[in-house]
Amino acid sequence: MSLSPSKVAPEAGPQSAAQKPEPEPEPPRRPQPETRPKAQAQPGRDSGRPSERGARPRAQPLPASKPESERPLQSSHGLEPKLNLALGQRTQSLGASHSQSRSARGPSGPPVSWSRSRSRSENQPSERPHCHTDCLEAPLSRAFGKLGWVVGSHPWIFLLAPIALTAILGTGLIYLPKDKEENLEEQYTPIGSPAKAERRFVQGHFTANDSYHFSISRKSTEVNFACILAVSNTTSVLEQEILEEISKLDAAIQDLYVTKENGTQTRYDQVCAKNEDFCVPSNPLLAVWQRNKNLDLGNVTFPIFNPTGQPIYLAGTIGGTFLGKRMGKNQLLVRAKAMRLLYFLKTEDGEVNEHSKMWLIHFLNQFSNIEKSLALKKIQVVYFTSLSRQLEFQATSMTVIPLFHLAYLLIILFAIISCYRCDCVPNKMWTAAFGVISAALAVVSGFGLMLYMGVPFVIIVANSPFLILGVGVDDMFIMIFAWQKTSLMDNIKQRLSSVYSKVAVSITITTITNVLAFYTGIMTSFRSVQYFCIYTGTTLLFCYFYNITCFGAFLALDGKRERVCLHWLKKPETPDQKCSSLKRSCCLPCDSLPEEEETDVHPMNVFFRDYFGPFLTRTESKFFVVLLYILYIISSIYGCFQVQEGLDLRNLASDDSYITPYFNVEEEYFSDYGPRVMVIVTETLNYWDEGVRPKLEICLSDLENSDHVDKSLTEFWLREYVQYTEKSQQDVNDKDNFMNNLPNFLTHFPLFMYDINISSSHEIISSRGFIQTVGVSSSINKKMMLSQLRSKAEKCEIPLMVYNQAFIYFDQYTAILENTVRNVIVASTAMFIVSLLLIPHPLCSLWVTFAIASVIVGVTGFMAFWNVNLDSISMINLVICIGFSFDFSAHISYAFVSSSKPSVNQKTIEALYLLGYPVLQSALSTVIGVCVLSAAKAYIFRTFFKIMFLVMVFGAAHGLIFIPVFLTFF
């Protein structure tokens, strides 16, 4: 987003009769090109002085002015001191128009009236003290003026060299990942999260066995699995007919096999996780019913069912439950709406793991066929596998590719319409189209360079080209409009030098602020955000570089077309003479001839000056705007407390994916029970010490009493062992008895052998138990549960740790807010420092800070109303909006404080006249660039559009409505 106050003196805006400079003799008309001498100005000469070509008379000398040798050296862009600042106030390139006619100019200098105004200001006291910050801007402006002269002198070199560079760097696109899997955990979970350290501890101290004693709660990482949720079409699945149909489905799944290329088969029983040589049952209650179909389904208890003396856990396997009377620690299961079938597979590294994944892919390919062949009538089924999220996420990236073409088409059309002129000579529609191509070259170059450097390309980076399109063309608009304010009679090199000296500094500054906003995102602890910011920030730099080289060269070449067209149009023609084909393509309409005396005021500038500005500064309008802002800020603050945190993993897939209905069913029927959490004693402990065990029991009870824990489902080997030794009448407080009886205990309870880590010196160096979490379906509850359990474990006298494999993803709920706040504060501070350095008026810096804070609060609050979570994707956009808010607010507020108008209302009208249209144009170009993402089928892309839309709407509203009105109160 590149906006700056227009490089016009206050007199360029609407004036009262009393403020207009005294009339001066009208300078003679310029000679026709055919009679004009061909002498050219030399590079480095002050563009504000008339050329020595002699074709045009000099402006009349100002009365009582000093000799030229004694006057202060005038800047090449001819600004008044109050407007000569490093913010790079832009010329009419931003849509503002000079009120002076072109005939009042020197060959390439400022209007004569500006010089008169400058001379008067030197002899009159200033209205207010001004800070001079042109120590940076003035030399940069001269340097860019020289660069423009060089580009204008050798346009083909500067046009072809960037294209050649793009061709070279574009070869880096061959490194774009095609079939490579994107590690979701690595990209979308916090770097260095506590859960990752906890997982390393578990992996180093505890083992598991998928082939003999499988236990999902004892696994430290995700395992290979397939899952089916069967929902009854009747009131309950606890009916014989329903269970028959579920059993048929279960048998069909276990009969699946994969045929390899060599003809061998991989059956389910070869890759399934086993418990004592048998595949782990897909559902414990279904397995009991399959062994005994006469089972009394009316006496099933929940969450623990004990049909044969061996308790089975039904929590998480039966959903949509309706419970009856209490029977001990359990309740009678009256009915249940859904049943979960889980098919766990071996996950050891190597060939076994590959076979398991092959079976899962075959399961995904064949499930629809199985469902049709069984003709299920009693149940509805949805399915999911451990590979589904990864596979669907990779497929999501393909859905956005067709949108690239539409986005480029829309931006090209917008650019052509914005730059179209009825006069054939200054018409810049083809130049505007090339400006969009220049932005595309920047995308190719930036992405190619990053891929050559080995920066990973993640799917979220696919959003970047849409943003680059919208932001990159802004600088192109500025340069085109600045070019149209130069004299058509001037030398091409001189015109381009004038354009560069006037707008290149402002383009540079706003590019720096936007790139700076992106690069602050590198500090985040989410790798996907880091890579997005690196790609986008680097591509914006390429976009800037190509604008001042490649696009500037094309502008110079098009300037030669203007001269040729003007030459042809001024030739006398007979009434029946027809335009040649070249002339028609170059100079249509043939009868259009630019008027030297006419002013080039865009209708939108007139609208802001004559209609919108006066309307906005009326008393009743101000009252309405203040009321509107109060409603806006109250709604935004309320929304900030409603926004959900964290990335819902279902949103990584497209809307029409099969995993979407799966997560919907799971949330509806299986949200009561959360993950089963390990409680780990991390250090060596004397478990036989009767003074130690009570302390451990207190800590365990404290965890059980947490808001999100079901104490009836706690499993801890030490409790069972104490009961076991007491029944055998052994002294549990004696170390030798305690350690010697452990082998016998583990023989009766073999799963507990994976919960006790005994060293070679017969010391228990670590052990673990398990607690069952409940009511953690929402991100807020997950965050509270995780924080509460960790806090209680940390406060315990015994060194404890809590862990579950799902905590890897839960950590984002605690990290996302911290990361967002930190990045926003750092980026906002950077923008505040930039505003203090570049804007000499402290009031502007305050308004910049106010606007940034207000827009961020508004975007965050309205995210909640638009069903957007605060996650790694939306965090990117919140950082982006800081740079855009800076652009909108800084330039509007500075145009206000720099105005020489006597009243605050007139200052506001002038600021809107100069910058209203460019603010609107910049917002529209960015929205158009990302609007095609609204049609994407994936949340990850739609979210980008939603937040960018909010950023542009609220940023433009602050720049065009709120800040202009609030400034009138001071």
Side-chain angles (χ1 to χ4, degrees):
M1 187 73 55
S2 297
L3 293 174
S4 289
S6 181
K7 282 193 172 184
V8 294
E11 285 79 357
Q15 301 179 5
S16 62
Q19 293 172 310
K20 293 182 179 179
E22 295 181 7
E24 57 183 82
E26 180 180 352
R29 292 291 300 271
R30 297 173 182 165
Q32 300 299 325
E34 290 82 350
T35 62
R36 183 177 181 179
K38 297 182 179 179
Q40 298 177 353
Q42 298 300 319
R45 186 168 295 179
D46 188 353
S47 62
R49 298 179 182 176
S51 170
E52 296 182 5
R53 289 174 285 186
R56 301 178 193 170
R58 291 178 180 269
Q60 296 296 324
L62 300 176
S65 62
K66 296 181 181 180
E68 184 176 353
S69 60
E70 299 178 15
R71 288 199 302 265
L73 181 62
Q74 186 170 328
S75 174
S76 61
H77 38 62
L79 292 179
E80 288 190 341
K82 71 175 70 176
L83 290 178
N84 188 13
L85 62 123
L87 189 59
Q89 300 157 308
R90 299 185 179 167
T91 64
Q92 197 61 20
S93 60
L94 288 177
S97 301
H98 302 318
S99 60
Q100 293 81 7
S101 67
R102 291 182 179 176
S103 61
R105 294 176 181 267
S108 62
V112 174
S113 60
W114 290 5
S115 299
R116 287 184 179 276
S117 177
R118 182 183 179 95
S119 297
R120 292 193 191 98
S121 66
E122 292 171 355
N123 298 321
Q124 295 175 1
S126 175
E127 293 182 18
R128 62 177 72 87
H130 299 291
C131 302
H132 296 273
T133 60
D134 59 348
C135 57
L136 174 64
E137 189 265 351
L140 281 178
S141 181
R142 290 192 294 268
F144 278 116
K146 293 179 181 179
L147 174 62
W149 186 281
V150 174
V151 174
S153 302
H154 310 283
W156 284 108
I157 295 177
F158 285 90
L159 176 66
L160 298 178
I163 294 177
L165 178 62
T166 301
I168 295 172
L169 294 178
T171 58
L173 297 179
I174 63 175
Y175 297 107
L176 272 174
K178 296 179 177 62
D179 298 327
K180 180 183 177 181
E181 293 185 0
E182 185 171 316
N183 191 322
L184 300 184
E185 177 188 313
E186 180 181 355
Q187 303 301 333
Y188 296 94
T189 60
I191 301 171
S193 68
K196 294 179 180 178
E198 295 161 1
R199 179 174 60 187
R200 288 192 294 270
F201 182 90
V202 173
Q203 291 174 332
H205 289 76
F206 301 99
T207 60
N209 190 335
D210 293 351
S211 301
Y212 192 72
H213 284 302
F214 175 82
S215 173
I216 183 59
S217 60
R218 288 169 171 80
K219 298 293 293 185
S220 59
T221 58
E222 289 187 338
V223 301
N224 294 321
F225 70 89
C227 181
I228 300 174
L229 302 181
V231 181
S232 173
N233 291 334
T234 61
T235 56
S236 177
V237 295
L238 302 180
E239 300 175 7
Q240 294 290 339
E241 298 83 359
I242 303 295
L243 292 178
E244 284 284 356
E245 206 163 79
I246 295 176
S247 184
K248 289 180 182 179
L249 175 62
D250 178 58
I253 297 300
Q254 298 195 36
D255 287 340
L256 282 176
Y257 60 87
V258 181
T259 303
K260 303 178 184 177
E261 294 180 357
N262 57 8
T264 59
Q265 297 179 347
T266 300
R267 302 186 307 275
Y268 172 73
D269 60 359
Q270 293 176 306
V271 294
C272 68
K274 295 185 178 181
N275 193 2
E276 298 181 357
D277 296 328
F278 295 98
C279 290
V280 175
S282 59
N283 185 280
L285 181 60
L286 180 65
V288 171
W289 179 85
Q290 287 172 337
R291 290 193 295 267
N292 179 19
K293 294 192 176 182
N294 294 323
L295 179 69
D296 186 1
L297 297 173
N299 288 324
V300 177
T301 57
F302 189 87
I304 298 176
F305 182 41
N306 194 346
T308 59
Q310 184 70 28
I312 59 174
Y313 293 88
L314 300 182
T317 65
I318 304 295
T321 58
F322 181 80
L323 305 179
K325 65 178 181 179
R326 179 167 293 278
M327 303 178 67
K329 293 183 178 181
N330 302 296
Q331 288 180 269
L332 192 66
L333 182 59
V334 178
R335 61 176 180 267
K337 186 66 176 177
M339 178 176 287
R340 187 196 302 268
L341 305 180
L342 271 168
Y343 302 91
F344 293 110
L345 308 180
K346 297 175 182 177
T347 317
E348 289 96 345
D349 295 333
E351 187 177 359
V352 173
N353 188 39
E354 292 302 317
H355 290 168
S356 296
K357 291 183 177 180
M358 289 174 58
W359 188 91
L360 287 176
I361 293 175
H362 185 66
F363 166 85
L364 292 173
N365 294 334
Q366 295 297 318
F367 185 83
S368 297
N369 296 331
I370 293 175
E371 186 179 1
K372 291 178 182 178
S373 63
L374 293 177
L376 303 174
K377 298 179 180 179
K378 302 288 185 181
I379 58 175
Q380 301 291 328
V381 294
V382 291
Y383 60 103
F384 181 79
T385 72
S386 54
L387 301 179
S388 295
R389 190 183 295 119
Q390 184 75 54
L391 295 175
E392 291 299 295
F393 185 58
Q394 292 173 211
T396 297
S397 61
M398 304 303 296
T399 63
V400 77
I401 293 178
L403 300 178
F404 282 120
H405 308 93
L406 180 59
Y408 275 88
L409 177 62
L410 291 176
I411 287 293
I412 289 175
L413 291 176
F414 176 75
I416 290 175
I417 294 172
S418 296
C419 298
Y420 180 79
R421 294 292 184 269
C422 294
D423 288 341
C424 61
V425 175
N427 192 3
K428 285 289 180 284
M429 61 180 185
W430 299 117
T431 308
F434 183 81
V436 180
I437 295 175
S438 176
L441 296 179
V443 172
V444 174
S445 299
F447 279 35
L449 178 62
M450 293 297 97
L451 290 170
Y452 265 128
M453 295 176 63
V455 180
F457 183 92
V458 295
I459 291 179
I460 195 174
V461 176
N463 287 301
S464 181
F466 298 95
L467 180 63
I468 297 298
L469 269 181
V471 177
V473 297
D474 291 342
D475 292 347
M476 176 265 292
F477 289 136
I478 292 164
M479 295 181 70
I480 287 178
F481 287 126
W483 175 271
Q484 290 176 329
K485 291 305 167 185
T486 60
S487 173
L488 191 62
M489 298 295 104
D490 284 343
N491 181 282
I492 298 297
K493 294 177 285 188
Q494 198 170 1
R495 295 178 69 186
L496 200 61
S497 176
S498 176
V499 169
Y500 275 48
S501 65
K502 291 175 181 176
V503 304
V505 175
S506 61
I507 291 175
T508 301
I509 292 172
T510 50
T511 298
I512 289 174
T513 56
N514 286 326
V515 171
L516 187 63
F518 277 108
Y519 280 165
T520 56
I522 300 176
M523 298 186 307
T524 184
S525 59
F526 293 87
R527 294 194 187 276
S528 58
V529 177
Q530 292 179 349
Y531 298 146
F532 176 88
C533 291
I534 291 173
Y535 270 90
T536 308
T538 304
T539 305
L540 279 178
L541 289 176
F542 271 100
C543 201
Y544 162 76
F545 173 70
Y546 285 176
N547 270 322
I548 62 175
T549 55
C550 184
F551 180 73
F554 192 89
L555 202 58
L557 293 173
D558 189 69
K560 295 183 179 181
R561 176 198 63 82
E562 292 178 348
R563 297 291 295 272
V564 174
C565 287
L566 183 62
H567 177 77
W568 286 351
L569 286 173
K570 287 177 179 285
K571 281 185 178 180
E573 297 182 1
T574 60
D576 59 343
Q577 184 177 0
K578 302 295 184 183
C579 296
S580 66
S581 59
L582 177 61
K583 188 172 180 180
R584 284 198 301 269
S585 63
C586 178
C587 302
L588 283 178
C590 295
D591 58 350
S592 177
L593 186 63
E595 294 291 339
E596 293 292 332
E597 298 290 344
E598 67 179 359
T599 58
D600 188 14
V601 181
H602 197 283
M604 286 301 297
N605 292 89
V606 177
F607 167 76
F608 278 101
R609 181 189 63 191
D610 297 343
Y611 299 99
F612 185 77
F615 172 78
L616 194 64
T617 52
R618 292 167 55 185
T619 302
E620 53 269 28
S621 298
K622 292 180 183 180
F623 175 79
F624 177 76
V625 168
V626 171
L627 179 62
L628 180 64
Y629 182 79
I630 293 174
L631 294 175
Y632 159 81
I633 202 67
I634 291 176
S635 302
S636 300
I637 294 174
Y638 172 78
C640 288
F641 290 98
Q642 305 302 316
V643 68
Q644 297 290 314
E645 299 173 25
L647 179 63
D648 190 341
L649 295 180
R650 83 181 73 181
N651 292 329
L652 295 177
S654 58
D655 298 338
D656 56 359
S657 171
Y658 61 88
I659 74 174
T660 301
Y662 170 86
F663 279 109
N664 292 337
V665 171
E666 185 179 52
E667 184 176 0
E668 182 176 1
Y669 297 114
F670 294 92
S671 59
D672 292 340
Y673 289 90
R676 195 162 176 79
V677 178
M678 300 180 191
V679 180
I680 305 166
V681 180
T682 58
E683 296 180 4
T684 302
L685 195 66
N686 297 330
Y687 295 92
W688 53 84
D689 191 332
E690 58 183 346
V692 171
R693 285 199 309 275
K695 294 181 181 180
L696 181 57
E697 190 64 34
I698 290 174
C699 293
L700 192 60
S701 298
D702 192 27
L703 290 171
E704 289 176 324
N705 291 328
S706 298
D707 298 334
H708 300 285
V709 174
D710 185 346
K711 64 174 62 179
S712 66
L713 297 177
T714 300
E715 180 183 5
F716 190 34
W717 69 272
L718 185 59
R719 289 178 177 177
E720 299 293 333
Y721 184 56
V722 170
Q723 294 180 10
Y724 175 82
T725 54
E726 289 177 350
K727 287 182 180 179
S728 60
Q729 297 181 347
Q730 298 291 331
D731 186 5
V732 73
N733 299 321
D734 180 76
K735 177 180 179 180
D736 293 334
N737 285 335
F738 190 97
M739 297 302 298
N740 292 336
N741 285 328
L742 266 179
N744 292 331
F745 168 74
L746 296 178
T747 302
H748 290 85
F749 301 92
L751 277 179
F752 286 147
M753 73 174 62
Y754 301 105
D755 299 336
I756 307 173
N757 185 356
I758 303 178
S759 67
S760 57
S761 58
H762 300 285
E763 295 284 340
I764 303 177
I765 58 177
S766 60
S767 69
R768 64 183 175 185
F770 301 90
I771 56 177
Q772 178 64 54
T773 59
V774 293
V776 291
S777 58
S778 69
S779 60
I780 295 178
N781 288 339
K782 289 174 183 175
K783 178 181 177 180
M784 291 178 58
M785 177 269 292
L786 186 58
S787 176
Q788 196 174 74
L789 292 183
R790 283 177 174 166
S791 176
K792 290 179 178 291
E794 185 178 353
K795 293 177 182 178
C796 179
E797 290 186 47
I798 306 298
L800 293 184
M801 174 191 296
V802 291
Y803 173 74
N804 181 275
Q805 56 199 5
F807 285 4
I808 300 293
Y809 295 97
F810 288 5
D811 268 339
Q812 66 169 315
Y813 301 121
T814 59
I816 192 68
L817 183 60
E818 175 189 348
N819 276 259
T820 302
V821 171
R822 182 178 67 243
N823 290 345
V824 166
I825 290 176
V826 171
S828 300
T829 303
M831 295 300 105
F832 181 71
I833 294 174
V834 168
S835 65
L836 284 177
L837 292 176
L838 301 179
I839 308 177
H841 204 293
L843 180 62
C844 295
S845 300
L846 295 177
W847 282 115
V848 167
T849 306
F850 162 78
I852 289 175
S854 181
V855 172
I856 289 176
V857 170
V859 172
T860 305
F862 278 78
M863 281 166 47
F865 304 141
W866 212 347
N867 298 322
V868 176
N869 289 358
L870 179 59
D871 50 36
S872 57
I873 302 167
S874 55
M875 178 172 63
I876 293 172
N877 294 272
L878 289 176
V879 175
I880 292 172
C881 78
I882 295 173
F884 293 156
S885 302
F886 174 89
D887 289 341
F888 289 142
S889 58
H891 308 317
I892 287 287
S893 59
Y894 188 79
F896 176 89
V897 299
S898 299
S899 174
S900 61
K901 297 298 180 182
S903 68
V904 289
N905 286 345
Q906 290 177 327
K907 292 176 184 288
T908 296
I909 293 174
E910 183 178 53
L912 290 171
Y913 166 67
L914 297 176
L915 286 170
Y917 181 49
V919 166
L920 184 63
Q921 187 182 49
S922 298
L924 284 176
S925 65
T926 305
V927 169
I928 290 174
V930 300
C931 69
V932 295
L933 293 177
S934 63
K937 295 181 179 180
Y939 168 89
I940 196 171
F941 297 113
R942 282 199 313 276
T943 296
F944 195 86
F945 158 74
K946 289 180 179 180
I947 301 185
M948 285 306 303
F949 180 82
L950 292 175
V951 169
M952 290 298 104
V953 170
F954 293 155
H958 279 73
L960 297 177
I961 300 175
F962 295 139
I963 288 182
V965 169
F966 294 162
L967 284 169
T968 63
F969 299 147
F970 296 91

